[in-house]
Amino acid sequence: MRVGLTGGVASGKSTVAAMLAELGAVVIDADAIAREVVAKGTPGLDAVVAEFGTELLTADGKLDRPAMGRLVFGDEDARRRLEGIVHPLVFERYAELEASAPEGALVVHDIPLLAESGRTEDFDAVVVVDVPRELQVERMLRDRGWTLEDAESRIAAQATREQRLAIATHVVENTGTLEDLRSRVAEVHAELTGPPTA
């Protein structure tokens, strides 16, 4: 069973992913893979440097992620060129990880921008971690030390709450306690792994 897991920034998606892993799901983290495929010494990093130049490297030869972010954030063409390098490598790694999952496993793809990617049909189910915008902002200010402007611009750069809910087959509301969340995640896990309902 292939499941897409998504949620807006500061929704608690990583916490939900960790809870699903504790329940036995195989979690494939898109962000971790995206970092892995351009790590120092990889063909992915070589390709990024060939395309964008050595000014995107740190002194110790790693990808300077903040510099890369500044380059592509406001430049649609640069972002597309970067995605053209990174996305095929990420999908290749996904396929490897999925192929190595045990037979019958619940495979959860943790994808922050699933609603934006248009790839929801790749999954048997889509779990959306949902919180109101005000709570997202509050968490970013409190937990990440961001400014209100940074928080608002990050939310604006992502799909809307409504767009995410529109792709959901299962919604995990994360507005209560950690125990409330754990209980809801266990329910969703049981629904995903239990016998199909007629």
Side-chain angles (χ1 to χ4, degrees):
M1 175 107 177
R2 301 178 79 238
V3 176
L5 171 67
T6 195
V9 60
S11 63
K13 180 181 56 60
S14 300
T15 305
V16 169
M19 289 176 177
L20 286 167
E22 284 168 16
L23 292 167
V26 174
V27 176
I28 300 175
D29 181 335
D31 281 349
I33 293 173
R35 285 190 296 274
E36 184 185 305
V37 299
V38 291
K40 185 176 177 178
T42 60
L45 183 58
D46 293 343
V48 169
V49 170
E51 180 69 33
F52 295 101
T54 54
E55 59 272 15
L56 289 180
L57 292 177
T58 61
D60 59 355
K62 294 179 180 158
L63 180 64
D64 184 339
R65 300 187 77 80
M68 184 86 240
R70 285 191 297 275
L71 176 72
V72 301
F73 193 66
D75 184 338
E76 188 71 18
D77 176 60
R79 187 174 60 77
R80 285 211 179 95
R81 283 164 33 223
L82 177 66
E83 288 172 351
I85 295 166
V86 175
H87 285 185
L89 297 170
V90 168
F91 291 128
E92 193 178 298
R93 187 73 182 113
Y94 266 165
E96 287 170 14
L97 291 168
E98 208 165 60
S100 66
E103 184 67 35
L106 180 66
V107 179
V108 176
H109 292 259
D110 179 345
I111 305 176
L113 303 179
L114 181 58
E116 295 84 340
S117 74
R119 292 185 45 239
T120 52
E121 67 287 341
D122 293 353
F123 300 99
D124 301 310
V126 173
V127 176
V128 171
V129 183
D130 181 52
V131 294
R133 181 186 178 103
E134 308 74 63
L135 189 51
Q136 284 179 280
V137 171
E138 181 188 311
R139 287 175 179 169
M140 284 187 275
L141 300 180
R142 183 190 68 218
D143 303 338
R144 301 182 183 189
W146 290 11
T147 66
L148 182 59
E149 186 183 8
D150 286 343
E152 294 282 3
S153 75
R154 182 63 67 93
I155 290 171
Q158 294 187 339
T160 64
R161 184 180 184 192
E162 293 72 26
Q163 287 167 323
R164 275 191 298 273
L165 290 173
I167 64 167
T169 54
H170 297 75
V171 176
V172 174
E173 188 186 300
N174 185 15
T175 54
T177 67
L178 201 56
E179 282 318 303
D180 294 338
L181 182 62
R182 192 175 300 283
S183 164
R184 177 61 184 138
V185 169
E187 279 173 22
V188 169
H189 181 268
E191 289 165 17
L192 293 168
T193 56
T197 51

